[in-house]
Amino acid sequence: APGRTAGTIGDRPRVEQSGVQPTEQSGQFVHPGSPPEGMTPAPPVPLTAPGRQEQLLRTGEALLRAMRPLQWTKNGLVFAALIFDQKFTDAGAIGIAIVAALCFCLVSSASYLINDVRDIERDQRHPRKRFRPIATGEVTVQQALIAAGVLSLAALVLGSLIRLEFTLVLIGYLL
């Protein structure tokens, strides 16, 4: 109906979700801090660039693919030691095996990322490898190297919780 305002809550005007509220004089919706009549308001500044969240999700998904999680099953070999040592019911030994397998997943993924950066030009010409995330540019070289560094550091920190010798094995894997 003409002349209706947004309504009231108690004795004060209801504030719309956008922060826009009717003025008492005209009933027109005015954003708080709006410029005086006749002046053009500045465009609103978005909190995040449009599509930024979607881009981050796409990059994260591509980075995960570049880390080759399907290869992580090979690291399950660590659990064979529990069976051969007959410690498959020992909670402490199981915990160590889980951390060790995680460390191998981290260093193997770091190695895949570094290898893909090193071979980027060759992979771009390869019939199958040209679709890998680093070769296509879905993951930048910088992103891959930062991720490889973070993964390596995390593996070495976790590995040091097991034993120094295990950490040295992880360093050897990275070299």
Side-chain angles (χ1 to χ4, degrees), residues 58-70 72 109 133 139:
R58 279 194 302 274
T59 301
E61 186 269 334
L63 185 59
L64 182 62
R65 279 188 288 119
M67 292 167 53
R68 303 188 194 143
L70 295 177
W72 293 348
S109 289
V139 174

Side-chain angles (χ1 to χ4, degrees), residues 87-108:
K87 292 195 175 188
F88 48 87
T89 59
D90 180 343
I94 293 170
I96 290 171
I98 290 170
V99 172
L102 176 61
C103 289
F104 279 120
C105 290
L106 295 172
V107 295
S108 65

Side-chain angles (χ1 to χ4, degrees), residues 107 156 164 166-175:
V107 295
L156 295 175
L164 173 63
F166 181 67
T167 307
L168 294 174
V169 168
L170 294 173
I171 290 170
Y173 191 108
L174 288 168
L175 297 176

